[in-house]
Structure formats: structure tokens, C-alpha cells
Amino acid sequence: MKLSAKVEYGVRAMAVLAFYYQSGPFPLRKIAEQENISLKFLEHIFFKLRTSGLIFSMRGTRGGYMLSRPPAEINIGDIVRAVEGPITPVDCLSENGTDPCCHRKEGCLTRQVWEKLRDKINDVLDDVSLYELIDFKSTHIK
Amino acid sequence: MKLSAKVEYGVRAMAVLAFYYQSGPFPLRKIAEQENISLKFLEHIFFKLRTSGLIFSMRGTRGGYMLSRPPAEINIGDIVRAVEGPITPVDCLSENGTDPCCHRKEGCLTRQVWEKLRDKINDVLDDVSLYELIDFKSTHIK
DNA sequence: TGAATTCCGACCAAACAACTAGGGTATCCA
DNA sequence: TGGATACCCTAGTTGTTTGGTCGGAATTCA
């Protein structure tokens, strides 16, 4: 029941982008330095974030990444799902019906528990936006 | 963000024990057959369930396992934590303070999100007891 | 005794996670 | 135009976890 390091890094990196939103494209190298994350590793994460449409990129000497929506419109759940894929506490809930547990949708006793769990996890993660994250920072740190 | 197969098996096996509660010790081999789980693998799982105090065992020819409390007093969260250990969405939340994220408890922006996530997961899992699981079965299947 | 059962430690193979390496390509600016 | 910078892509490496097996010892009961 763990999130991966990729997700942690992804969220922290996106928080940086949120903080510098409206300052033009922000280079990955700086994020890597600020957050002490391997640049090469971050590249992989940002590939997923970009193909998920959460950010866009600009190449060249003054290039970098930018959020494609305002921080208030990007929530943690978006980032988690972009980096890790859809949240499925047990394989039984994913759509490829190749597992023996789910022959009978009615008969799987535990299924409804896992469904509720999945929904609640999504709820929590979708309830916090990047804006709230950096707003907390501004209030308590700066 | 996945539960392990151990947890799935553990919950299903505990549901069987709940169903045969008050019928004396129930042998692991029968559970393995009913639920189509490797007996040897189940042994590992039941070691954890036993040392966590959720079940007790009786050796010998008519031995087996029994719930140590009524089904209504054992919830899914108990089983998950017994088999997988405490739920910690990110390592940052576990108590060994060896990670770089948590020098400053106040400054970790994302920490409160993960804390809320952890709490909600526990809430969902603690909200369903074995009794409710097998009661659902009795109502809809039998 | 012998069969059925729990208990216990070691072992193993495959998958996964967390990086790392290194080059390729596009773009920008001077 | 040319070099600097940044993004893009493939693949390998290393260590841990997961899921599972094996063999055997201890215990109980008929």
C-alpha cells in the first residue's frame, strides 16, 4: 500500500512548477537541483506528465516546462494517476478480466470493499490542488 | 498503490474462518482447497495472522485455526495491517527518521496530504468487519 | 505407531523499483 | 552558423520485494 518514489518526486516537482507559474518555462535541471533529484530520473517522470497533458514543454536555450493549467486546476490525484497509472488496490478491479477472482461479479465478497477503498483514495488525492499545496507553503514558510 | 496478493488471500481465508466460527478449529489445508491458494503460501500468511493475535492455532490431527474474536470484532484493516504491516503511503510517514524529506516537519509540503491519505485508507478498511463480509455472502448467495 | 496437522527456516525465480548511461534531436540565441 | 542548452528515447544495472516452494521438526489424536 505504497506510492512510488516517482510519485513523490513528481508531486514535489509539480509544486515547484506551480510556484513559478507565470514566470515562463522552468528548466528541469533547476528543479533537479532544488529538490535534489536525479535529472535523468526526473526526465522519465516528466515524460509521463507531459503525455498526460498536465504540463507542456518548450525547447531551446531558454526552454523548460510549464503547467498547462493553473495550479488550482491540477490536483494531486491527476499527478499520481499520470505517473503511476490508474489506482487499483487489487488487480481484481482493473479492466482486463483475466483473473480468476471475478468470474462472478456478484459472488466476489471482498470486491466491494476494494472498490470503496479505491474510490476513497481517489477522493482524498483529488481534494488537494497544487494551489493549496503552495498556498500552504506561502503561509507557513515565507 | 496496490495491496499484495498476501492481503487478498489473507482476507479470503479469514472470511472462511469467520464462516466456520464456532465449529472448532478449521484446518489450513481445507481453506487452501476451497480458496485455491497454495497451502505453503498460506502458512506464511497465517504465521503473521497468528502472531498478530487475530487467530489462534491447535496442532495435531484435529487441529486447525480459529478466530480469536467474533467476526464482528475483526475488521479488514486488522487483517491488512497484520499481513502487510502498518499502512504508510510514503516512507516519509514511517517512524524511522532516516529520510531526507522530514528534517523539517513543518516544511514538508506534501506530508499532510499523505497523512490524510493514510488515515482515510485506515478508515475505509476499519469500517468493514468479517461479519459484514459473510453476512453479505449469506444474503446474496445462499 | 502413524496419520494429520501446525510450525519453522531456508531457498529461489521472476518481477519491480530506482536509478544510470549515453546518445540523439530539436530549438534558441548570439 | 555554431555552440549551448534542453528535451527525447532506449536500454542496462542493481538491489529489493513478491510469490511461492521444499524439507523437516514438533504436536496431537485415534
Side-chain angles (χ1 to χ4, degrees):
Chain A
M1 218 53 199
K2 278 218 182 352
L3 291 165
S4 63
K6 275 193 177 120
V7 164
E8 278 192 70
Y9 295 164
V11 170
R12 279 161 58 196
M14 288 290 277
V16 173
L17 285 189
F19 197 75
Y20 293 104
Y21 188 61
Q22 292 173 333
S23 307
F26 198 81
L28 206 51
R29 184 179 48 78
K30 284 195 176 181
I31 300 178
E33 285 168 4
Q34 275 191 32
E35 295 294 319
N36 199 33
I37 302 170
S38 151
L39 172 62
K40 282 296 187 179
F41 197 37
L42 260 189
E43 282 186 4
H44 293 305
I45 297 166
F46 270 61
F47 175 80
K48 292 184 177 180
L49 291 170
R50 188 177 57 83
T51 53
S52 297
L54 296 182
I55 56 178
F56 65 88
S57 61
M58 294 181 68
R59 303 213 224 195
T61 307
R62 299 214 175 278
Y65 289 96
M66 286 188 69
L67 300 185
S68 53
R69 302 197 295 269
E73 294 175 23
I74 296 178
N75 55 45
I76 309 298
D78 293 327
I79 302 171
V80 172
R81 286 184 296 270
V83 173
E84 280 210 324
I87 290 168
T88 53
V90 300
D91 290 332
C92 188
L93 296 181
S94 47
E95 282 314 310
N96 53 348
T98 56
D99 50 283
C101 155
C102 294
H103 296 161
R104 31 173 207 161
K105 287 186 180 175
E106 228 54 51
C108 189
L109 300 179
T110 55
R111 185 186 177 97
Q112 61 180 208
V113 181
W114 308 138
E115 282 175 349
K116 190 177 176 187
L117 177 60
R118 175 198 58 194
D119 294 342
K120 286 290 177 184
I121 291 173
N122 279 301
D123 285 350
V124 171
L125 296 177
D126 285 341
D127 191 44
V128 181
S129 73
L130 283 177
Y131 176 78
E132 290 161 312
L133 222 54
I134 63 175
D135 184 53
F136 173 82
K137 177 176 179 179
S138 306
T139 307
H140 290 74
I141 309 291
K142 291 271 176 175
Chain B
M1 217 52 199
K2 278 222 186 345
L3 291 166
S4 62
K6 275 191 177 118
V7 163
E8 279 192 69
Y9 295 165
V11 170
R12 279 160 58 195
M14 288 291 277
V16 173
L17 284 190
F19 196 75
Y20 292 105
Y21 187 62
Q22 292 174 332
S23 307
F26 198 81
L28 206 51
R29 184 179 48 78
K30 284 195 176 181
I31 300 179
E33 286 169 4
Q34 274 191 33
E35 294 295 319
N36 200 31
I37 302 170
S38 151
L39 171 62
K40 284 296 188 179
F41 195 38
L42 261 188
E43 282 184 3
H44 292 306
I45 298 166
F46 270 62
F47 175 79
K48 293 183 176 179
L49 291 170
R50 187 174 58 84
T51 53
S52 297
L54 296 182
I55 56 176
F56 64 87
S57 60
M58 295 181 67
R59 298 214 231 192
T61 307
R62 298 218 175 278
Y65 290 95
M66 286 187 69
L67 300 185
S68 52
R69 301 197 297 268
E73 294 175 22
I74 297 178
N75 55 45
I76 309 298
D78 293 326
I79 301 171
V80 172
R81 287 184 296 270
V83 173
E84 280 208 326
I87 290 168
T88 54
V90 300
D91 289 334
C92 188
L93 295 182
S94 47
E95 283 313 311
N96 53 348
T98 56
D99 49 284
C101 153
C102 293
H103 297 160
R104 37 185 196 154
K105 287 187 180 175
E106 228 54 49
C108 188
L109 299 179
T110 55
R111 186 185 176 96
Q112 61 180 210
V113 180
W114 308 139
E115 283 175 348
K116 190 176 174 186
L117 177 60
R118 176 198 57 193
D119 294 342
K120 285 291 178 184
I121 291 174
N122 278 302
D123 285 350
V124 171
L125 296 177
D126 285 340
D127 191 44
V128 181
S129 72
L130 283 177
Y131 176 78
E132 289 162 312
L133 222 55
I134 62 174
D135 184 53
F136 173 82
K137 176 177 179 180
S138 305
T139 308
H140 290 75
I141 309 292
K142 292 269 176 176

